Amino acid sequence: MRPFLDNRNALGLAFMLPAAALLLVFLTYPLGLGLWLGFTDARIGRPGHWIGIDNFESLFGDSLARLSLFNTLFYTVIASVVKFALGLWLALLLNRHLPFKAFLRAIVLLPFIVPTALSAIAFWWIYDAQFSVVSWLLVKMGLIDTYIDFLGEPWMARFSTIAANVWRGVPFVAICLLAGLQTISPTLYEAAALDGATEWQKFRHVTLPMLTPIIAVVMTFSVLFTFTDFQLIYVLTRGGPLNATHLMATLSFQRAIPGGNLGEGAALAMAMAPFLLAAILFSYFGLQRRAWQQGGGDK
Amino acid sequence: MSNIKRRDFLKISAGLAAGAAGGVPLLAQAQTAWKPEKGAKLRVLRWKRFVAGDEDQYMKNVAAFTKKTGVEVRVDNESWEDVRPKAAVAANVGSGPDIILSTFDDANLYPEKLLDVTDLADYLGKKYGGWYDVCRQYLQPGGKRWIGLPLGCAGNAFVYRISQMKEAGFDSFPRDTAGFLKLAKALKAKNHPLGFALGNATGDGNTWTHWLLWSFGGKLVDDKNNVVVESPQTIQALEYAKELYQTFVPGTLAWLDPNNNKAFLDDQISITENGISIYYAAKNSQDPKIKAMAADIGHANLPIGPVGRPTELHLFFNQMIFKYTKYPNAAKEYLRFMMEKEQYEPWQQASIGYVTHPLKAYESNPIWTVDPKHTPYRDCMKIMLPNGYSGKLGYASAQCMADFIVVNMVAEAASGSKTPKEAAERAQKRAERYYKV
């Protein structure tokens, strides 16, 4: 026992075991199982047999699966760009010396704290074809005659769900970027001011470069969350109207559980992996910390 | 057998017992009660009630069962669409509730995981005038063993405003699809639009669009499970849907199951398709305005189309006992007890007929005649067609239903986003993916 306790490497490994076990059981195993199911014809209540890439081939030929891929990409790109722009803007505002600063920052986080399903139900009311509070207000103000069909028209529904997603996701981006902003040394701004830099130049040449590592991390997470969104769509539209808001995650559930086709559902979920991996690699190689940001020279 | 009374039961039971004693082989086999295992406990998972009276009376019946047999029963309630995944997981992993009350064709997805309840079905069928045909299609695959026990269905009917119908110049609700379209147009002209769910609404969306398709003779598959939805009959149904859609309130493409209830009770639509829950909600409302609406609500069975016979689809409820249960006899005895007249009829009454019975004898339940507005819901099980009509039930039928193929087809054609021909073609391709094997 003694030599073991004296051996730093052995002890280190032993201490890592519980964490490794947790990861294996709760992350690796489900992921591996999902991958395996994607290559089988497993149904609910019936174990599957290996069928190679049949599921993927069949999905490729399925107009609904292709539509869900388009919807997911559209949803992710638009929502992420808007979340980034609004989040950065909000972070810059909150970074100033405002009265009630702590209180304001706490309020900004609220949409992120509310459970998604709850905020989705709130949006369901906001977007309701008959009872929408927005439509009601606009009609009362005499700006429109008929209620807006937020979720009833394909493109309108896409933008409405994106708006709900943005509302929910902006706080996360804003607070993370705010944390990043506060790590930027004021001396840099002073130096820039001495050089006669304008506000825009300060932002462009000091703030933005110093913020890129944080932006990379935040936006990677934001893209991952958006790409795999499920609850919001499930509560608001179930993928309708005319499947215009069906994302790959919601379609995967629909096929696997109500439809009973675990294999196809898993394959659809697995088909999301390459896109997610690409997003991670892009941020890793494209936006990671540069040497000059830590005082090194340009290479 | 339709007008059976409690005293008659006793006589019949006594007769059965005497027959058994006399050694008549057929009757000797007829089991009338299952003796629960010693120390048996049951877990039941059911869909969460749609009307309050249902759950109250159901739990009273459960308490009576526990009192009579000593078997403890735990009942969990889940939103009805969540029961299906839970039942699926239970079937998959081989553990979970002993009994699950689920919907549509669930039992056909994992028949080999379910306890054979043929003896129980035979007993109840004989005692209560037989099961409606559609029960066999759902739960006696191939006419062999029963894989579950029918509970009934959440019947749907057309729910309409009597005063608005009269205002549109109709004294009674049209019985056929042509007359119904005329009424819809007349109502729309009087600024009383209709509202039917065309979003991915599992219950209301599926039921009314299947009725429409079938009423014109269209169907997803034929008797041999060949996909035949791309047909002149389907196109005709979709043309009809297109015309009908012009009379709808805006927003129905996004409607999920609860939307039509809300819109109807808010006086925004004149006709929708729904269970008796709208009427129940109006009758029991605290709001005097909504309560007053109850008197103006009428119900009618779905109109008959060119095929000349009813073609309704309703939310069928099954009761499944899983093979992994440690207490199969207790589970069977539980279902027997709950389906007996003493329990079943008061339960139906408490929900003012939200669930339509699967056994013919319960047609005489006074709940169906105490208020004429209940009556259309009485015959739902009698006249309905099963999911996946006219093919066989199984994975493919469940997948087509879960994928909203018919709902989407009708929505695409009705809204004009695709022509009826294109919509039917697309549905054909989508269905073929599932029926290929």
Side-chain angles (χ1 to χ4, degrees):
Chain A
M1 200 64 199
R2 190 80 209 162
F4 176 77
L5 288 176
D6 283 343
N7 186 334
R8 289 175 63 88
N9 290 338
L11 209 56
L13 274 178
F15 282 146
M16 277 195 295
L17 266 181
L22 281 180
L23 285 179
L24 271 177
V25 173
F26 293 110
L27 271 173
T28 318
Y29 172 69
L31 195 68
L33 184 66
L35 190 63
W36 157 253
L37 283 175
F39 291 101
T40 68
D41 59 355
R43 303 292 172 108
I44 278 171
R46 189 185 84 187
H49 304 284
W50 179 266
I51 52 164
I53 58 165
D54 274 14
N55 282 331
F56 295 92
E57 271 177 0
S58 153
L59 283 172
F60 192 73
D62 172 22
S63 57
L64 189 51
R66 288 199 306 265
L67 180 65
S68 80
L69 173 62
F70 166 78
N71 291 339
T72 311
L73 289 174
F74 182 80
Y75 185 77
T76 307
V77 170
I78 304 290
S80 300
V81 168
V82 177
K83 273 191 274 193
F84 172 66
L86 287 180
L88 183 60
W89 185 44
L90 201 57
L92 290 170
L93 285 179
L94 288 174
N95 197 31
R96 297 190 180 175
H97 292 289
L98 298 165
F100 312 112
K101 199 158 67 178
F103 180 66
L104 281 179
R105 285 179 188 170
I107 286 201
V108 165
L109 260 182
L110 270 182
F112 192 62
I113 297 166
V114 183
T116 311
L118 266 187
S119 50
I121 289 173
F123 269 99
W124 191 45
W125 278 104
I126 291 174
Y127 289 152
D128 193 287
Q130 273 71 41
F131 302 95
S132 163
V133 62
V134 177
S135 298
W136 179 81
L137 208 64
L138 293 175
V139 168
K140 287 277 168 200
M141 286 162 69
L143 294 174
I144 53 172
D145 297 328
T146 50
Y147 274 37
I148 303 167
D149 199 0
F150 285 105
L151 299 176
E153 198 276 317
W155 280 103
M156 194 69 182
R158 285 190 182 112
F159 285 111
S160 300
T161 46
I162 286 174
N165 178 279
V166 166
W167 178 83
R168 222 193 115 62
V170 161
F172 170 74
V173 177
I175 294 294
C176 291
L177 292 184
L178 179 63
L181 284 176
Q182 302 199 324
T183 63
I184 301 175
S185 166
T187 54
L188 294 174
Y189 290 107
E190 283 166 23
L194 287 177
D195 286 344
T198 61
E199 282 298 313
W200 167 250
Q201 282 169 325
K202 277 189 210 166
F203 173 75
R204 172 70 189 80
H205 296 288
V206 180
T207 311
L208 209 52
M210 297 305 286
L211 211 53
T212 36
I214 293 280
I215 292 176
V217 174
V218 173
M219 288 320 291
T220 307
F221 275 107
S222 179
V223 166
L224 299 191
F225 292 153
T226 317
F227 200 90
T228 55
D229 199 1
F230 173 85
Q231 300 177 64
L232 195 71
I233 299 294
Y234 195 71
V235 174
L236 280 181
T237 65
R238 292 277 157 95
L242 310 176
N243 297 312
T245 61
H246 237 320
L247 303 183
M248 289 166 88
T250 48
L251 187 64
S252 157
F253 173 80
Q254 181 174 305
R255 293 273 163 91
I257 305 298
N261 194 341
L262 290 177
E264 190 177 279
L268 201 51
M270 276 302 140
M272 299 201 283
F275 296 95
L276 299 176
L277 219 55
I280 294 172
L281 290 179
F282 173 76
S283 82
Y284 184 77
F285 289 111
L287 298 166
Q288 66 176 313
R289 194 173 281 273
R290 301 272 191 267
W292 57 260
Q293 285 166 329
Q294 289 153 52
D298 282 334
K299 282 179 190 160
Chain B
M1 194 89 187
S2 65
N3 216 355
I4 205 153
K5 293 206 178 68
R6 190 152 185 253
R7 193 161 291 280
D8 297 331
F9 281 153
L10 296 176
K11 278 187 210 153
I12 293 166
S13 311
L16 271 175
V24 182
L26 190 73
L27 290 176
Q29 283 168 9
Q31 207 166 355
T32 51
W34 285 261
K35 197 173 160 23
E37 295 81 357
K38 221 172 169 199
K41 278 185 192 166
L42 291 175
R43 259 183 71 200
V44 178
L45 173 65
R46 59 159 289 180
W47 36 271
K48 187 144 186 63
R49 61 179 166 74
F50 297 83
V51 293
D54 154 15
E55 190 178 343
D56 299 343
Q57 187 60 40
Y58 191 85
M59 292 316 292
K60 271 187 208 159
N61 289 347
V62 170
F65 174 75
T66 303
K67 200 173 157 207
K68 186 172 166 242
T69 60
V71 176
E72 213 178 288
V73 184
R74 188 182 118 188
V75 180
D76 296 319
N77 295 273
E78 296 275 357
S79 160
W80 74 273
E81 287 182 81
D82 294 337
V83 172
R84 168 171 266 199
K86 294 215 167 181
V89 170
N92 235 359
V93 301
S95 96
D98 304 278
I99 298 172
I100 296 185
L101 274 52
S102 187
T103 49
F104 281 147
D105 45 1
D106 274 13
N108 300 76
L109 297 181
Y110 30 77
E112 67 283 1
K113 310 268 178 182
L114 303 173
L115 194 73
D116 184 341
V117 290
T118 308
D119 47 356
L120 184 54
D122 285 348
Y123 159 76
L124 286 167
K126 274 187 197 128
K127 186 165 176 185
Y128 294 106
W131 301 96
Y132 291 120
D133 289 345
V134 74
C135 298
R136 296 178 189 282
Q137 285 159 316
Y138 274 110
L139 291 171
Q140 198 190 18
K144 292 175 197 143
R145 65 189 185 94
W146 287 79
I147 55 176
L149 205 63
L151 175 70
C153 75
N156 269 5
F158 276 1
V159 184
Y160 63 95
R161 295 289 295 275
I162 299 167
S163 60
Q164 294 175 358
M165 175 184 76
K166 291 198 169 143
E167 192 188 331
F170 284 73
D171 284 331
S172 62
F173 202 90
R175 306 281 298 269
D176 59 1
T177 43
F180 172 59
L181 186 61
K182 275 189 201 133
L183 170 64
K185 285 178 174 169
L187 279 165
K188 173 76 179 172
K190 296 272 178 196
N191 207 16
H192 299 307
L194 286 69
F196 291 75
L198 278 173
N200 288 353
T202 320
D204 294 338
N206 270 317
T207 49
W208 91 268
T209 52
H210 277 84
W211 155 77
L212 180 70
L213 174 67
W214 296 339
S215 71
F216 281 83
K219 51 192 175 184
L220 213 51
V221 289
D222 66 12
D223 305 1
K224 298 203 168 64
N225 271 10
N226 299 310
V227 180
V228 293
V229 70
E230 203 181 342
S231 68
Q233 291 86 346
T234 302
I235 308 279
Q236 232 187 324
L238 296 179
E239 296 285 0
Y240 181 90
K242 215 173 152 180
E243 271 193 85
L244 191 64
Y245 182 74
Q246 302 306 318
T247 68
F248 284 10
V249 75
T252 50
L253 285 179
W255 274 14
L256 300 179
D257 282 295
N259 286 77
N260 63 339
N261 300 47
K262 290 189 295 175
F264 191 95
L265 289 170
D266 193 53
D267 198 14
Q268 299 205 23
I269 51 175
S270 54
I271 305 179
T272 191
E273 189 233 20
N274 207 67
I276 204 162
S277 49
I278 289 182
Y279 182 56
Y280 185 95
K283 253 172 94 165
N284 295 301
S285 174
Q286 302 294 324
D287 183 340
K289 204 179 127 211
I290 295 180
K291 209 177 167 77
M293 188 194 281
D296 192 33
I297 293 179
H299 296 132
N301 289 115
L302 277 58
I304 292 174
V307 290
R309 60 190 172 87
T311 52
E312 300 178 12
L313 172 69
H314 300 291
L315 184 58
F316 178 80
F317 294 130
N318 58 50
Q319 311 175 89
M320 308 180 283
I321 305 177
F322 285 79
K323 268 189 189 161
Y324 57 67
T325 178
K326 282 191 240 157
Y327 312 110
N329 282 336
K332 280 187 181 176
E333 178 61 10
Y334 173 81
L335 292 187
R336 181 196 71 79
F337 183 83
M338 298 298 273
M339 292 303 291
E340 296 276 6
K341 184 177 172 136
E342 291 77 5
Q343 283 67 243
Y344 196 87
E345 287 201 346
W347 177 57
Q348 269 190 316
Q349 283 156 13
S351 64
I352 64 165
Y354 186 81
V355 175
T356 304
H357 45 265
L359 287 159
K360 293 175 186 168
Y362 295 142
E363 277 173 23
S364 64
N365 189 344
I367 190 66
W368 300 122
T369 41
V370 65
D371 179 345
K373 290 180 184 178
H374 298 172
T375 313
Y377 290 95
R378 179 186 61 197
D379 302 325
C380 288
M381 287 289 293
K382 194 187 206 164
I383 57 181
M384 74 178 280
L385 298 172
N387 298 44
Y389 169 80
S390 63
K392 291 177 195 68
L393 294 181
Y395 288 118
S397 66
Q399 280 173 320
C400 288
M401 183 75 59
D403 227 21
F404 300 103
I405 292 181
V406 172
V407 181
N408 290 165
M409 175 180 76
V410 174
E412 283 165 358
S415 65
S417 91
K418 290 201 163 45
T419 65
K421 194 169 179 317
E422 287 166 353
E425 268 170 28
R426 194 164 122 86
Q428 173 87 16
K429 286 209 182 80
R430 284 176 68 185
E432 276 169 355
R433 285 186 69 240
Y434 294 121
Y435 279 97
K436 66 185 174 195
V437 274

